[in-house]
Amino acid sequence: MRYLPLTDADRSSMLDRIGVSSVDDLFVDVPAVGQFDGAFDLPDHMAEFDVERLMSAMANRNITTADVPSFLGAGAYRHHVPASVDYLIQRGEFLTSYTPYQPEISQGTLQALFEFQSMVALITGMDVANASMYDGATSCAEAVLMARRVTRRNRAVVSGSVHPHYSAVTETQAKYVDIDIDIREPDLDGTEDLTDLIDDQTACVVVQNPGIFGHVRDLSSLASHCQENGALLIVVVTEVVSLGALQSPGAMGADVVVAEGQSIGNPQGFGGPYVGLFAARQKYVRQMPGRLCGETTDVDGKRGWVLTLSTREQHIRREKATSNICTNAGLCALAFTIHLALLGENGFRDMAMLNHARASKLADLLEAVDGVEVLPQAFFNEFAVRLSKPAGDVVNALAAKGVLAGVPASRLYGVGTDLDNILMIAASELTSADDMDALVDALSEELS
Amino acid sequence: MSHSRDLSRGISPASTGMLGTVHGHQGLQLEEPLLFEIDNPGAIGVDLPEPGDFILRLGGLERNGEIGLPCVSEPEVVRHYTRLSQKNYAIDMGTYPLGSCTMKHNPRLNEKMVRLPGFANAHPLQPEATVQGAFELIDGVAYWLKQLTGMPAIAMSPGAGAHGELCGVMAIRAALDDREGGPTKRRRILVPDSAHGTNPATAAVCGFSVDTIPSDARGRVDVKAFAEKLDDDVAGIMITNPNTCGLFEPDMIEIAELIHNAGGYFYCDGANFNAIVGRVRPGDLGIDCMHINLHKTFSTPHGGGGPGAGPVVLSDALAPFAPVPWVVHGEKGFSLVEHPDAAGEAKPFGRLKGFHGQMGMFVRAYAYMLSHGRDGLRQVANDAVLNANYVMSCLSNVMTPSFEGPCMHECLFDDRFLKDTGVSTLDFAKAMLDEGYHPMTMYFPLVVHGAMLIEPTETESKRGLDEFVAVMRALVDRAKAGDSSAFAAAPTMTPRRRLDETTAAREPILRWSPEVLAAETAK
């Protein structure tokens, strides 16, 4: 077996050293009923090339966003990731190291995390960011739990602009810890007004920008209203590239920003692993969940980095921790950091504007198609359209024609609501003119 | 926006007795500034096409002013992160005996498979007919895990071990609420004192109080103390097996009977499944749920702290409460149940994660499973346990094992052997850094004094273990020879020496900013 270095001769001499005759003697504590001697219904070991053959065949049974024109988004986006990102994250020193609990020999991971935290704080317009969460949805849930700790109030309002997976994860996480979550109806036209729902019992308001249907909104008045009532404004960003083109949530008055960072550095990968971003105002830092990397010096006075404020965390505080999170999304955060390093100030902004330009162009083209109505006036790289037919059927029909037309709202909200004809369409820097023509032609044909 | 700083700050050649270099490098040990400090406005690491003419539709909310990101070209970025990488220790470099973390070899085949375009470029919300291969893979991993654990059901979506715990404990909560027709009156979860911190933290975020069960003199759950705590307000018990002392809990079946008779559920923390994979099916021991860290037993990389994956196997009693989504296989192939109202008879407690789980980790784990097969996985457990016992037997006469008898995949020592040497467990661990090793887990579990928990894993060779043992024995000799000041000063040859964690926590600097830089320069 190629991954097991011990030979039978090694095993035999080691057993002698231990003083037992067989490895079975080392399992004496396992009760007889627990000793499995049957046959698993599983294959025996395979050569590397056989594994490759089998798994390649499986992968080839997928038709992906790289094979055909794709307009899928709704929280996961297709972007170009520079080759050097994937090379660097596959260096063994990054790939095969553990959480940096021994800072003297983990400065590489730690410094990269410090750069990650700095970048996330900058693009969200926040003071501080943690070293990442599992994904955007869990980050959102943790933000609501944090708001409860900070305000000692237990009511949360979740806007109808928020991705249903995020609302559902938040509702699930809040379910057993005495938080009353008010999830609002889907905000299809982007005109939702939450002000009447916010009072001195509200812990937080969660709103997404751009919203799930694509609307870009100015959140400043909502932020002031939250502030007047002592509630935290939590802003969700599912497409992090938008932060290169739009005013930051921090500039609009957010207290906490949670985001899905997949778009920068990470493939769509059928939904994971992704990287949750979590950023907040400085005053909340000791209530934040997750790991934090901080700057310090060593005994020689040299600058270095360590994991810090760990008295918030489960390995120290056990049941009194701010969260039960342990592992985060280190390698995905590293990919994010390296990709954003390559983009830099200008590349990030240019990439964002290129995404917007492609989407704006696509909206122009779709507005001319009979049976398609583009809904948001203002959007970033994704927008909802109302079709003259159920969007789920249209998407399946177009998939058969070799176009992945987008995400039908019914996929997220279930079939049988008044959103059945709504389709979410996303573009990116990778969307070509040919791709757009393919969508327009296929939709025109299907809706005629 | 360009900044430079004196990186040699604090380095005094005279004090180290070494020749100083211009920029503070020490041979190939290179000092590397922050990315923000090599900012060169105008430089860029990507080339993007011009957008052409388009109508701006941002609602007047376009960003104004500078974000503050540094500008760096591709060669500089590659060099920067390559240099950073060289400041890390890694499995690829040597033994990583971090107990309870299972730092085994991460096969590169796994990385190759996850990058197959058919997996990497699949969007999670594609029409089901276009991603049958992805569902087949998830279904395949689920099948392997159910087979290996002897459990009937599985929830695949949890993103890590602690997230899997959350899934299991929420399923317990949901089952109790369902049984009692409202919020359960059972609000107490029993957790042994040797448990990982995530266990009590998880119980707390599910609304339970935590009641600690003591370990007995053998490092196992004290069954008598456990039985005395059972009452009609107990929701369940969380037991790690093999436990964090590296020992198999021999009374699992009795514990299962007791908790079930008391009306509670049995959560098994599967963090240490590596010791028993292919030999013991936890389902045969009467458990109700167990998470499996794919980044431990199934070799997906730890990546400097994630991402992981923590699928949870479930008994028939808990299966109906599993969170959405899950894959089903019908006449038209695979499909996905994503909404609670489409769940039929099931009563999912909700959703734990966006989309469908850590697909990239499933792909890697599947490559590992297929490579080993059922025969190879049993050998994994055998070799992991053999390696740990070998290390223990080679060190027993110089260090102090905490418990008698064979261990499982990791061996636990306490600090009695350091008594009167003036050397602490921490000092001993730091001295290992200068010898080129990542230390074992220190001060955990909490049930023995100055704990040192060594987990070699099955992917260490005998030669590698012999070298490790020789280093450990030499360090013990030095400690016993009264060389405590050398230990207190260690490490001296690492990229950084001991770091001031107190100041880091007291005056946290959590990000780069021009203000911080200015303040430091002023000092």
Side-chain angles (χ1 to χ4, degrees):
Chain A
M1 214 291 126
R2 61 187 179 276
Y3 303 142
L4 299 176
L6 298 186
T7 63
D8 284 341
D10 291 333
R11 292 182 182 112
S12 167
S13 80
M14 291 164 76
L15 288 168
D16 285 350
R17 177 71 179 80
I18 297 165
V20 295
S21 56
S22 142
V23 75
D24 295 341
D25 296 340
L26 302 174
F27 287 86
V28 287
D29 287 331
V30 181
V33 64
Q35 302 268 10
F36 182 70
D37 288 321
F40 291 105
D41 177 27
L42 299 170
D44 283 334
H45 70 274
M46 283 184 197
E48 183 163 327
F49 51 78
D50 282 331
V51 176
E52 280 196 37
R53 184 155 36 209
L54 191 152
M55 293 189 71
S56 300
M58 216 177 254
N60 289 339
R61 284 194 276 281
N62 297 331
I63 299 159
T64 74
T65 61
D67 303 322
V68 295
S70 170
F71 302 89
L72 292 147
Y77 299 89
R78 178 175 174 241
H79 291 289
H80 181 256
V81 178
S84 51
V85 174
D86 201 39
Y87 155 69
L88 286 164
I89 68 164
Q90 283 193 81
R91 286 186 63 91
E93 302 93 327
F94 284 134
L95 186 75
T96 76
S97 59
Y98 195 68
T99 302
Y101 289 136
Q102 293 292 326
E104 299 89 342
I105 53 167
S106 310
Q107 286 296 306
T109 292
L110 285 162
Q111 185 173 334
L113 283 178
F114 188 80
E115 293 176 352
F116 170 79
Q117 291 175 182
S118 305
M119 288 174 171
V120 171
L122 284 167
I123 63 174
T124 55
M126 290 282 105
D127 298 328
V128 288
N130 76 7
S132 79
M133 310 295 285
Y134 305 130
D135 68 359
T138 55
S139 203
C140 178
E142 290 278 3
V144 171
L145 299 186
M146 186 183 93
R148 180 173 179 273
R149 290 193 294 276
V150 166
T151 62
R152 297 172 189 273
R153 301 174 182 177
N154 69 346
R155 283 194 42 228
V157 178
V158 179
S159 156
S161 63
V162 174
H163 193 297
H165 285 185
Y166 289 52
S167 319
V169 171
T170 303
E171 187 177 32
T172 303
Q173 278 252 43
K175 195 164 173 176
Y176 300 127
V177 286
D178 182 34
I179 301 182
D180 170 22
I181 304 258
D182 180 4
I183 297 175
R184 308 305 297 168
E185 289 299 306
D187 181 28
L188 184 60
D189 53 12
T191 55
E192 176 190 68
D193 184 355
L194 299 173
T195 45
D196 288 349
L197 300 167
I198 305 166
D199 58 28
D200 61 4
Q201 296 303 304
T202 312
C204 62
V205 175
V206 185
V207 61
Q208 181 176 317
N209 203 35
I212 182 69
F213 300 108
H215 304 281
V216 168
R217 296 186 68 185
D218 185 353
L219 304 174
S220 352
S221 65
L222 180 62
S224 327
H225 202 74
C226 285
Q227 195 172 21
E228 283 159 23
N229 287 277
L232 303 196
L233 178 63
I234 298 168
V235 176
V236 174
V237 181
T238 57
E239 169 52 299
V240 70
V241 175
S242 68
L243 297 176
L246 294 170
Q247 278 178 32
S248 73
M252 294 190 207
D255 295 292
V256 185
V257 181
V258 292
E260 175 50 68
Q262 171 266 327
S263 287
I264 304 288
N266 291 279
Q268 298 158 89
F270 203 57
Y274 290 172
V275 48
L277 314 185
F278 191 109
R281 301 278 178 207
Q282 177 75 33
K283 59 184 168 185
Y284 304 129
V285 67
R286 286 174 198 273
Q287 290 295 339
M288 276 168 65
R291 290 177 181 143
L292 287 165
C293 170
E295 184 178 317
T296 188
T297 50
D298 76 356
V299 294
D300 291 333
K302 292 190 199 174
R303 181 176 62 173
W305 286 274
V306 292
L307 291 181
T308 191
L309 300 180
S310 54
T311 49
R312 300 163 300 115
E313 291 188 76
Q314 48 74 28
H315 63 281
I316 308 285
R317 291 277 280 172
R318 299 177 80 84
E319 65 267 27
K320 296 188 181 66
T322 56
S323 161
N324 83 329
I325 193 169
C326 179
T327 299
N328 54 15
L331 201 68
C332 300
L334 179 67
F336 178 98
T337 308
I338 298 171
H339 190 182
L340 199 48
L342 288 163
L343 289 165
E345 177 82 21
N346 300 322
F348 185 49
R349 300 175 77 128
D350 290 350
M351 178 181 170
M353 210 42 91
L354 190 52
N355 271 259
H356 181 57
R358 298 280 197 256
S360 182
K361 183 80 194 158
L362 181 59
D364 290 344
L365 296 174
L366 289 172
E367 274 166 347
V369 176
D370 281 344
V372 179
E373 181 194 354
V374 175
L375 297 178
Q377 295 290 313
F379 55 82
F380 172 60
N381 71 351
E382 184 170 22
F383 48 83
V385 297
R386 182 181 280 115
L387 303 180
S388 54
K389 288 182 177 174
D393 298 344
V394 173
V395 164
N396 287 336
L398 263 62
K401 293 177 182 171
V403 176
L404 296 170
V407 178
S410 56
R411 185 74 193 262
L412 298 176
Y413 294 92
V415 181
T417 74
D418 53 9
L419 299 173
D420 278 357
N421 287 18
I422 303 298
L423 176 65
M424 274 95 84
I425 295 176
S428 81
E429 74 281 0
L430 292 173
T431 309
S432 68
D434 287 349
D435 292 344
M436 294 188 201
D437 290 344
L439 177 64
V440 167
D441 290 350
L443 265 183
S444 305
E445 198 180 302
E446 187 62 28
L447 296 174
S448 64
Chain B
M1 195 182 65
S2 179
H3 309 280
S4 60
R5 61 185 294 150
D6 178 11
L7 292 163
S8 60
R9 177 169 59 92
I11 300 169
S12 158
S15 71
T16 60
M18 283 187 283
L19 202 60
T21 60
V22 175
H23 295 293
H25 303 318
Q26 292 180 31
L28 293 184
Q29 223 176 78
L30 300 167
E31 289 298 313
E32 182 62 15
L34 283 167
L35 190 75
F36 294 88
E37 294 158 353
I38 54 174
D39 175 30
N40 183 20
I44 194 163
V46 294
D47 290 308
L48 294 166
E50 288 296 322
D53 293 335
F54 67 97
I55 303 164
L56 193 66
R57 306 196 205 201
L58 294 174
L61 292 167
E62 51 271 29
R63 196 185 255 283
N64 303 309
E66 200 174 70
I67 302 170
L69 295 171
C71 300
V72 189
S73 68
E74 174 171 310
E76 292 169 293
V77 168
V78 169
R79 189 169 289 170
H80 176 71
Y81 289 102
T82 301
R83 286 182 172 197
L84 289 192
S85 77
Q86 293 176 328
K87 298 173 190 297
N88 273 3
Y89 191 82
I91 306 170
D92 281 359
M93 296 161 69
T95 308
Y96 213 125
L98 202 52
S100 250
C101 299
T102 312
M103 298 299 285
K104 63 168 70 177
H105 172 62
N106 300 148
R108 286 312 197 276
L109 173 63
N110 302 359
E111 299 304 310
K112 185 173 180 185
M113 293 299 95
V114 78
R115 286 167 175 80
L116 289 170
F119 294 131
N121 299 321
H123 187 284
L125 300 176
Q126 286 185 216
E128 290 170 342
T130 64
V131 282
Q132 289 295 300
F135 290 139
E136 189 182 351
L137 186 129
I138 295 175
D139 192 59
V141 175
Y143 185 75
W144 274 77
L145 294 176
K146 287 187 288 184
Q147 275 285 309
L148 292 169
T149 56
M151 296 287 279
I154 189 163
M156 292 295 284
S157 66
H163 209 217
E165 291 177 31
L166 192 63
C167 179
V169 177
M170 280 194 171
I172 290 174
R173 175 72 196 257
L176 290 170
D177 287 357
D178 185 65
R179 190 208 287 167
E180 295 175 29
T184 178
K185 294 186 181 59
R186 293 173 176 269
R187 288 298 169 88
R188 196 155 50 98
I189 291 252
L190 306 177
V191 181
D193 54 5
S194 60
H196 292 115
T198 50
N199 289 179
T202 300
V205 294
C206 295
F208 292 112
S209 66
V210 177
D211 193 356
T212 306
I213 317 168
S215 299
D216 66 16
R218 305 167 306 149
R220 271 81 168 193
V221 170
D222 184 334
V223 180
K224 192 161 166 283
F226 157 67
E228 281 166 6
K229 285 181 182 289
L230 289 173
D231 210 341
D232 59 7
D233 70 334
V234 169
I237 182 169
M238 299 179 82
I239 290 191
T240 307
N241 190 35
N243 70 24
T244 63
C245 299
L247 303 169
F248 195 89
E249 292 286 355
D251 303 317
M252 288 288 282
I253 288 167
E254 192 186 346
I255 292 168
E257 274 176 20
L258 285 166
I259 192 75
H260 288 148
N261 289 341
Y265 291 100
F266 192 167
Y267 187 96
C268 181
D269 182 322
N272 295 333
F273 188 51
N274 201 51
I276 56 174
V277 61
R279 284 195 66 115
V280 177
R281 297 188 306 179
D284 294 337
L285 303 171
I287 65 165
D288 289 296
C289 50
M290 182 178 96
H291 77 261
I292 299 153
N293 307 71
L294 296 185
H295 48 290
K296 293 183 179 176
T297 308
F298 296 99
S299 85
T300 73
H302 282 78
V312 178
V313 287
L314 298 161
S315 64
D316 287 324
L318 295 184
F321 306 97
V324 292
W326 59 80
V327 173
V328 291
H329 197 197
E331 282 172 17
K332 289 181 184 167
F334 293 100
S335 59
L336 201 61
V337 175
E338 289 178 287
H339 299 279
D341 34 342
E345 300 283 291
K347 306 165 189 170
F349 67 71
R351 170 183 279 277
L352 277 179
K353 208 173 171 304
F355 307 120
H356 329 311
Q358 305 285 64
M359 177 68 173
M361 298 299 144
F362 303 157
V363 176
R364 290 173 172 96
Y366 202 52
Y368 177 87
M369 290 167 174
L370 292 172
S371 294
H372 281 84
R374 56 180 173 181
D375 53 334
L377 288 176
R378 188 179 174 94
Q379 193 64 52
V380 162
N382 286 349
D383 285 359
V385 171
L386 178 61
N387 276 354
N389 279 281
Y390 180 70
V391 168
M392 186 163 74
S393 73
C394 294
L395 294 176
S396 286
N397 61 342
V398 294
M399 293 171 65
T400 38
S402 298
F403 301 104
E404 278 181 22
C407 62
M408 298 300 286
H409 62 302
E410 55 194 356
C411 50
L412 177 63
F413 298 91
D414 52 49
D415 62 3
R416 280 172 296 159
F417 74 98
L418 292 173
K419 190 166 182 289
D420 301 328
T421 61
V423 176
S424 67
T425 291
L426 180 71
D427 295 339
F428 195 88
K430 296 300 182 191
M432 290 171 70
L433 300 177
D434 277 339
E435 299 290 342
Y437 283 97
H438 193 287
M440 62 272 142
T441 293
M442 295 179 282
Y443 300 107
F444 182 84
L446 308 173
V447 295
V448 303
H449 197 268
M452 302 183 193
L453 185 64
I454 299 175
E455 179 181 10
T457 85
E458 74 283 1
T459 60
E460 290 306 308
S461 66
K462 180 175 178 296
R463 186 177 63 84
L465 295 180
D466 287 338
E467 287 172 7
F468 174 74
V469 163
V471 164
M472 295 294 276
R473 294 183 70 96
L475 287 176
V476 173
D477 285 348
R478 273 193 79 179
K480 290 183 175 169
D483 208 358
S484 64
S485 57
F487 282 85
T492 59
M493 291 181 273
T494 46
R496 283 293 177 269
R497 296 183 59 205
R498 287 195 209 190
L499 290 128
D500 181 355
E501 302 194 14
T502 309
T503 306
R506 193 173 295 151
E507 300 161 32
I509 302 172
L510 304 175
R511 60 173 284 192
W512 175 89
S513 69
E515 298 78 39
V516 169
L517 188 77
E520 286 194 351
T521 312
K523 271 186 200 170

